[in-house]
Amino acid sequence: MTRPLLISLVSCLVAVSQASLINRCDLAKVLHQEDLDGFEGYSLSDWLCLAFVESEFNITKVNENTDGSFDYGIFQINSHYWCNDYRSHTENICQVECEELLSPNLLSIINCAKKIVSGAGGMKNWVKWRLHCAGRPLSYWMTGCHLG
Ligand SMILES: *[C@@H]1O[C@H](CO)[C@@H](O)[C@H](O)[C@H]1NC(C)=O
């Protein structure tokens, strides 16, 4: 195999394996466009911290819980309450298929997250946000991000 071909093949594989990750400031931009800045009193930094502690910005992350439910996407939304994955009982409060929460345009997961954060407890519904983000200085999450 010629070297240029090998290099382009390798860089292509790298690009595919990273396609699930969204850049922090790109995420901030989408969240801003979808009016999450200040939504229910939470800043974009809260949302970035939440996305990082839940998924490390991995849009397609799926994680199985010990109770047999699954957490989906960048905000790790749980199938027992919020979305339907046809694998176990669900309340499906967001009226959405869990797979849709993995969409690269993020619109479905943002809509569902808005519903969750509008309910009792707000962002405390995410245990990791409460443990790692709540009450801490978070503005550094927005460092270097330009929304315009
Ligand atoms: C993102 O999550 C998916 C599903 O959990 C996993 O297969 C993939 O390796 C993750 N991507 C990265 C870059 O960690």
Side-chain angles (χ1 to χ4, degrees), residues 16-31:
V16 167
S17 70
Q18 291 180 341
S20 53
L21 297 183
I22 187 168
N23 169 281
R24 175 176 56 88
C25 289
D26 289 344
L27 177 59
K29 219 176 270 184
V30 176
L31 299 173

Side-chain angles (χ1 to χ4, degrees), residues 110-137:
I110 286 172
N111 273 330
C112 189
K114 279 180 171 173
K115 191 163 271 184
I116 297 171
V117 85
S118 301
M123 235 177 236
K124 293 200 190 84
N125 281 291
W126 285 274
V127 174
K128 286 183 178 170
W129 179 84
R130 189 163 51 74
L131 291 177
H132 305 295
C133 307
R136 296 176 190 241

Side-chain angles (χ1 to χ4, degrees), residues 14 16-21 55-63 71 73 76 102:
V14 169
V16 167
S17 70
Q18 291 180 341
S20 53
L21 297 183
S55 69
E56 295 184 321
F57 303 135
N58 185 346
I59 291 173
T60 60
K61 181 175 177 186
V62 179
N63 185 58
D71 293 332
Q76 289 291 280
L102 307 179

